Amino acid sequence: MEPIITENQFEGCAEVFKALGHPARLRMVHSLAGGERCVCELQELVGLDMSTVSRHLAVLKKAGVLASRKQGNWAYYSLELGCVASLLDCVINKKQRKER
Amino acid sequence: MEPIITENQFEGCAEVFKALGHPARLRMVHSLAGGERCVCELQELVGLDMSTVSRHLAVLKKAGVLASRKQGNWAYYSLELGCVASLLDCVINKKQRKER
DNA sequence: TGTATATTTGGCAAAATATGCAAATAGGTC
DNA sequence: GACCTATTTGCATATTTTGCCAAATATACA
């Protein structure tokens, strides 16, 4: 009953973690855990160039972390991989407990 | 009661995810979830140069994911951030459900 | 002391990533 | 149609990551 993890699964999984492994992207994901936002809101949140934000969002979408929909001129992003929200809590709590 | 996440927390958290965001590192972490291993065992697992494995392990240790102890000639690494094991399961299960 | 083994570190080249600016898209409005 | 706005894409550059080889460490053993 050992669940065997294939190389493909490791790679897909690593892609998710890699996508989360950037402060700006993590901050945006955390914000999106509270509901969908448009790119301009996220841009204001992280304070990077709009084009840079757009690229970060593309990374997260490609990894399967986010979904997006277009409405008029705006693009709205939302959390697709729901468990990511608890991942964040988990890591923050663990680290916290150690650091103080 | 809103838990405010500081910039430092985001960065520490991102460092953890970043450390997990590489297939070889993820594979080693998954193996270490089953108990501590020496570097040579992990080297065999991932099939990279020993020096490369050592550096990967250093990344994980720096992020707080792994701990290490030295005994004789051998260095043993073990999982320090326990929740990481369930993170992996969480992401793999989510992705799996979507892909097939 | 010398030798063997496990691990880490220094150096380097190739590849990937991050970022901003400018240009291209796409969808609105007049 | 022309114009405005939000977003994405092309390009250039700086930085980081990855991987190996070779050298340095450290520890055990004879």
Side-chain angles (χ1 to χ4, degrees):
Chain A
M1 269 309 158
E2 274 291 324
I4 294 162
I5 304 184
T6 67
E7 188 56 35
N8 272 354
Q9 284 178 306
F10 271 119
E11 277 172 14
C13 206
E15 192 184 1
V16 170
F17 286 125
K18 192 186 205 171
L20 297 173
H22 185 289
R25 288 198 292 260
L26 203 51
R27 192 176 272 284
M28 292 192 286
V29 166
H30 177 249
S31 166
L32 290 170
E36 73 170 11
R37 310 260 187 272
C38 73
V39 181
C40 53
E41 289 176 288
L42 297 167
Q43 194 234 324
E44 191 169 6
L45 178 74
V46 300
L48 294 170
D49 194 274
M50 173 84 89
S51 66
T52 303
V53 171
S54 177
R55 268 182 242 268
H56 279 311
L57 291 170
V59 169
L60 287 161
K61 186 176 176 184
K62 180 158 183 297
V65 176
L66 301 183
S68 72
R69 69 183 178 89
K70 204 99 195 262
Q71 182 176 317
N73 265 348
W74 291 266
Y76 291 94
Y77 283 82
S78 57
L79 199 53
E80 170 84 0
L81 206 60
C83 68
V84 165
S86 36
L87 297 195
L88 225 171
D89 290 343
C90 170
V91 175
I92 281 181
N93 290 334
K94 284 285 185 174
K95 301 272 300 185
Q96 216 165 239
R97 211 188 298 169
K98 297 203 174 294
E99 273 160 20
R100 47 191 63 183
Chain B
M1 266 308 161
E2 274 290 324
I4 294 160
I5 304 186
T6 67
E7 189 55 35
N8 273 352
Q9 284 178 306
F10 270 118
E11 278 172 14
C13 206
E15 193 185 0
V16 170
F17 286 126
K18 192 185 203 172
L20 297 174
H22 185 289
R25 289 198 292 263
L26 204 51
R27 192 176 274 284
M28 293 192 284
V29 166
H30 177 249
S31 166
L32 290 169
E36 73 171 12
R37 311 258 188 271
C38 74
V39 181
C40 53
E41 289 177 287
L42 297 168
Q43 194 234 325
E44 191 169 7
L45 178 74
V46 299
L48 293 171
D49 194 274
M50 173 84 88
S51 66
T52 303
V53 171
S54 177
R55 268 184 240 267
H56 278 311
L57 292 169
V59 168
L60 287 161
K61 187 178 175 181
K62 180 157 183 297
V65 176
L66 301 183
S68 71
R69 68 183 179 89
K70 204 100 195 260
Q71 184 176 316
N73 265 348
W74 290 266
Y76 291 94
Y77 282 82
S78 57
L79 200 54
E80 170 85 358
L81 205 60
C83 68
V84 164
S86 36
L87 297 195
L88 225 172
D89 290 342
C90 169
V91 175
I92 281 182
N93 290 334
K94 283 284 184 178
K95 299 272 299 184
Q96 215 165 240
R97 211 188 299 167
K98 297 206 173 291
E99 273 161 18
R100 49 188 64 187

